[in-house]
Amino acid sequence: KAKQAGKNRYELFSPHMIEQTMWRIHMENQLQTALQNHEFVLYYQPQIDLQTGMVYGAEALLRWDCPGRGIVSPLEFIALAEDTRQIIPIGEWVLLEACRQNKRWTAKGYKPIKISVNISGQQLKQVGFVANVKAIIEKTEMDPRYLIFEITESTIIDNLEATIDMLKELTAMGIRISLDDFGTGYSSLSILKKLPISMVKIDKSFISEMTLEHRDLDIVKAIIFISNSLQLEVVAEGIEQKVQYELLRELGCHYMQGFYTSPPLPSEQFEAFLSLTHLDLRL
Ligand code: C2E
Ligand code: MG
Ligand code: MG
Ligand code: MG
């Protein structure tokens, strides 16, 4: 214990720590500025119905269009934004913008599609989250039945009962809940039974090895089997190859999302998918 404390004290003064702290403060300020200066943008990645080839929906994915740097991936700033709780105003903007975009598309005459939005645990823990969501829905006149909230297992774990109640309020409004990155967390299968979710997303780490590693294939099969038994729809993410989607379709997976169809795109480019009636998956 003493050794541990001594080690920590030493690390407090290490140049590496100071550098890291400075970097964090810098990034925190940068994120603040980014929000004020409207530097965040949403990209959209199509989700395709594996049976019909129709565009089912789009996942809204956050990007930071940083002056002088270009497009910055969320992997570089989401974790920090969660630590500093900046994810709360950022996430609110994401939901607002996704709803607005949906409205712009329907105003242009496109048939509405489902819009999936990633919701961080910090947002779910926030008092008044449901009220904020309601306000955004009213303001943008978004039909909540076209809205899907993607949450992860790790989000829910620390406050299961409270999270269930809040998710029930959201589902009562018509919003659907999808469990993202399924299989990568620590939770037990009972979470599938307890939570009011209607969809499960198989994590791309299982998909990428599925055709090479029989254990990954077995896991994918098991997830699809359990989901079907519980009447949950299944989305597979990270489909990059034809063999992967063919196999998933055979296995009864409902939807796919991945570079094979398209990477996440700026809203104007995504419109190409909205004007398609269906994708010819046999190509
Ligand atoms: P996620 O929600 O699991 O999103 C899927 C990620 O997989 C996206 O990365 C997407 O670009 C990537 N992806 C899609 N298809 C493929 C593929 O075929 N191959 C590979 N290798 N990757 C693929 P992205 O956009 O970099 O986002 C990373 C993570 O950042 C997201 O993972 C999500 O956890 C988080 N994130 C993104 N936007 C938001 C947001 O608005 N709010 C919150 N709280 N988190 C967000
Ligand atoms: Mg997601
Ligand atoms: Mg995911
Ligand atoms: Mg992820």
Side-chain angles (χ1 to χ4, degrees):
K1 184 90 193 169
K3 203 173 168 188
Q4 190 75 33
K7 189 174 164 244
N8 286 341
R9 202 163 67 224
Y10 171 73
E11 278 191 359
L12 195 60
F13 296 102
S14 81
H16 175 68
M17 278 285 285
I18 292 167
E19 214 172 273
Q20 251 191 355
T21 307
M22 296 292 284
W23 182 82
R24 280 178 63 100
I25 292 168
H26 170 73
M27 281 298 289
E28 198 177 333
N29 289 330
Q30 289 261 300
L31 289 180
Q32 191 61 42
T33 313
L35 196 57
Q36 282 160 2
N37 295 354
H38 311 286
E39 291 167 13
F40 289 117
V41 279
L42 292 185
Y43 276 31
Y44 297 87
Q45 187 176 33
Q47 298 175 327
I48 308 296
D49 185 318
L50 277 166
Q51 296 308 316
T52 62
M54 306 244 278
V55 178
Y56 167 79
E59 179 173 16
L61 292 155
L62 185 60
R63 300 289 181 265
W64 174 18
D65 191 355
C66 180
R69 262 184 91 183
I71 299 292
V72 181
S73 153
L75 298 173
E76 289 190 41
F77 61 86
I78 289 282
L80 178 78
E82 283 176 340
D83 280 359
T84 61
R85 295 172 56 84
Q86 285 171 302
I87 195 65
I88 291 173
I90 295 173
E92 224 173 282
W93 177 83
V94 169
L95 181 60
L96 179 64
E97 178 56 21
C99 292
R100 277 192 197 131
Q101 188 57 61
N102 164 75
K103 206 67 197 171
R104 283 182 214 121
W105 282 332
T106 49
K108 280 187 172 182
Y110 293 121
K111 233 176 69 197
I113 57 166
K114 303 279 195 298
I115 308 280
S116 292
V117 176
N118 293 285
I119 305 290
S120 129
Q122 292 284 355
Q123 289 174 274
L124 286 183
K125 273 181 224 152
Q126 178 205 5
V127 190
F129 177 67
V130 175
N132 281 347
V133 171
K134 272 197 182 126
I136 289 173
I137 283 173
E138 272 163 30
K139 184 171 165 181
T140 57
E141 299 174 334
M142 170 91 198
D143 181 344
R145 288 169 304 176
Y146 285 93
L147 206 48
I148 299 173
F149 282 179
E150 294 192 3
I151 61 172
T152 58
E153 295 164 82
S154 48
T155 297
I156 314 153
I157 297 260
D158 37 294
N159 203 351
L160 190 59
E161 295 310 318
T163 309
I164 292 172
D165 289 344
M166 143 153 345
L167 294 180
K168 280 184 179 155
E169 284 188 66
L170 295 170
T171 54
M173 292 163 63
I175 298 171
R176 311 220 293 155
I177 311 295
S178 177
L179 200 52
D180 204 354
D181 303 341
F182 187 71
T184 60
Y186 302 99
S187 60
S188 71
L189 289 173
S190 69
I191 204 164
L192 291 179
K193 192 183 74 179
K194 286 185 188 152
L195 290 175
I197 54 172
S198 49
M199 304 177 99
V200 161
K201 287 186 92 169
I202 308 176
D203 191 67
K204 55 180 172 293
S205 59
F206 301 116
I207 305 296
S208 64
E209 301 282 296
M210 180 179 69
T211 52
L212 311 166
E213 281 280 340
H214 72 85
R215 304 212 321 159
D216 287 273
L217 179 59
D218 290 342
I219 290 170
V220 169
K221 281 182 181 168
I223 294 175
I224 294 172
F225 180 80
I226 292 164
S227 302
N228 280 334
S229 315
L230 296 171
Q231 265 134 43
L232 302 171
E233 291 192 296
V234 191
V235 187
E237 65 177 15
I239 281 74
E240 296 182 353
Q241 300 161 14
K242 190 177 173 169
V243 282
Q244 292 169 337
Y245 99 73
E246 285 174 339
L247 185 53
L248 286 160
R249 186 169 55 182
E250 273 171 42
L251 293 174
C253 179
H254 301 96
Y255 310 107
M256 70 160 171
Q257 177 182 343
F259 295 167
Y260 181 73
T261 329
S262 168
L265 299 169
S267 58
E268 318 82 66
Q269 287 176 43
F270 185 84
E271 285 183 24
F273 283 96
L274 293 174
S275 36
L276 279 177
T277 49
H278 72 282
L279 254 68
D280 192 349
L281 293 177
R282 277 150 304 185
L283 284 183

